[in-house]
Amino acid sequence: MSEKKYDSLPGELTSVRQLTEDVFDFRLRCPALAAKAEPGQFAQILVPGRTLRRPISICAIDRDRGELRFVFQVRGQGTAELARRRAGDRLEILAPLGHGFPVDRTKRTLLMGGGIGAPPLLGAAQALGSQAVAVLGFRSREAVILEEDFKAAGAKTLIATDNGSYGRHGLVTELAAEEDFEVVFACGPGPMLRAARALAQSRGAAGYLSLEQRMACGVGACLGCAVALVDGEGAEYFGHVCKDGPVIEMSRIGESAL
């Protein structure tokens, strides 16, 4: 029997910050889970008073302090309730879940993030250091998050905004096309992921995309987060984001999944 790689454990919130009108930054001390986690994985966080846990991507891992960092956007009643937690509160989390990014410190890696797709890439930037090029897209200057964190990790960091109020005016994919890289890691909306895959293919680069899907259990039991994948013979089948992903090699992802 294979060893279970995740656990459900309580953690203490050591820091709570509000980054924008609807984006919050939590640091949770749970050394046993921080020791196991890898960039790109996620956690299921139990919100007091709610039956179903909320899936939140792991933004960063601090093994020395035994902390996991979560940066999430309020999207419903569950995450709104979660955003009301304060430092010192304790939260039950199931983690680390899913597959993360296959970080290779010998390869120049493009990290392409759109909006709230930026946080899952920060852990990879911290692992890659100066081998990372982070190209991040947001609606406006007010929506920009984590820019200084990516810079502190050693990544070359570039910003694009839809309205031109900060950084480059235009699409994040246009900015990314100007960079040199050997591998692409991307997380964000479907059109951006399609463009990231096309860019990687045009350069003959490896590519890994982090998918988002509604999920309940997070461990493959409920089968609610179905996603179209492609097998080794090119046939499409349904896998699940929580177990096959959230990070999946780009050639394995079906067209209808993006």
Side-chain angles (χ1 to χ4, degrees), residues 8-57:
S8 181
L9 294 172
E12 179 184 356
L13 279 172
T14 60
S15 171
V16 174
R17 292 193 302 147
Q18 186 169 357
L19 302 185
T20 70
E21 181 181 2
D22 60 354
V23 175
F24 291 79
D25 182 348
F26 282 11
R27 295 175 191 264
L28 189 82
R29 188 174 188 279
C30 193
L33 300 183
K36 294 181 177 183
E38 299 295 339
Q41 291 185 296
F42 71 101
Q44 290 278 84
I45 301 180
L46 184 62
V47 180
R50 300 281 168 178
T51 301
L52 296 178
R53 298 175 187 246
R54 264 48 184 184
I56 308 287
S57 295

Side-chain angles (χ1 to χ4, degrees), residues 170-220:
L171 299 176
V172 66
T173 49
E174 296 170 351
L175 195 54
E178 299 174 5
E179 297 301 314
D180 294 322
F181 54 85
E182 300 169 86
V183 182
V184 174
F185 295 167
C187 184
M192 192 209 78
L193 293 181
R194 287 194 293 271
R197 179 162 66 178
L199 177 60
Q201 289 172 335
S202 72
R203 303 284 184 89
Y208 299 86
L209 311 182
S210 179
L211 305 184
E212 181 178 287
Q213 188 67 274
R214 295 183 67 87
M215 62 179 72
C217 72
V219 296

Side-chain angles (χ1 to χ4, degrees), residues 52-137:
L52 296 178
R53 298 175 187 246
R54 264 48 184 184
I56 308 287
S57 295
I58 296 172
C59 173
I61 305 156
D62 189 332
R63 302 193 203 282
D64 292 335
R65 297 175 63 90
E67 291 182 345
L68 294 175
R69 185 178 180 187
F70 300 94
V71 173
F72 65 95
Q73 184 177 41
V74 173
R75 290 183 170 177
Q77 293 181 349
T79 45
E81 176 62 29
L82 184 62
R84 288 192 280 270
R85 301 299 96 189
R86 294 293 177 260
D89 288 351
R90 294 179 69 81
L91 292 172
E92 182 87 15
I93 67 170
L94 184 69
L97 298 169
H99 296 280
F101 292 106
V103 173
D104 184 341
R105 295 170 181 81
T106 69
K107 294 183 178 180
R108 186 73 165 165
T109 303
L110 176 71
L111 310 177
M112 190 187 304
I116 201 63
L121 297 167
L122 180 58
Q126 292 173 333
L128 287 160
S130 61
Q131 285 286 65
V133 181
V135 184
L136 311 174

Side-chain angles (χ1 to χ4, degrees), residues 238-254:
F238 281 102
H240 297 89
V241 170
C242 69
K243 292 196 73 174
D244 297 292
V247 178
I248 303 176
E249 198 278 326
M250 63 182 186
S251 67
R252 294 186 55 225
I253 300 173

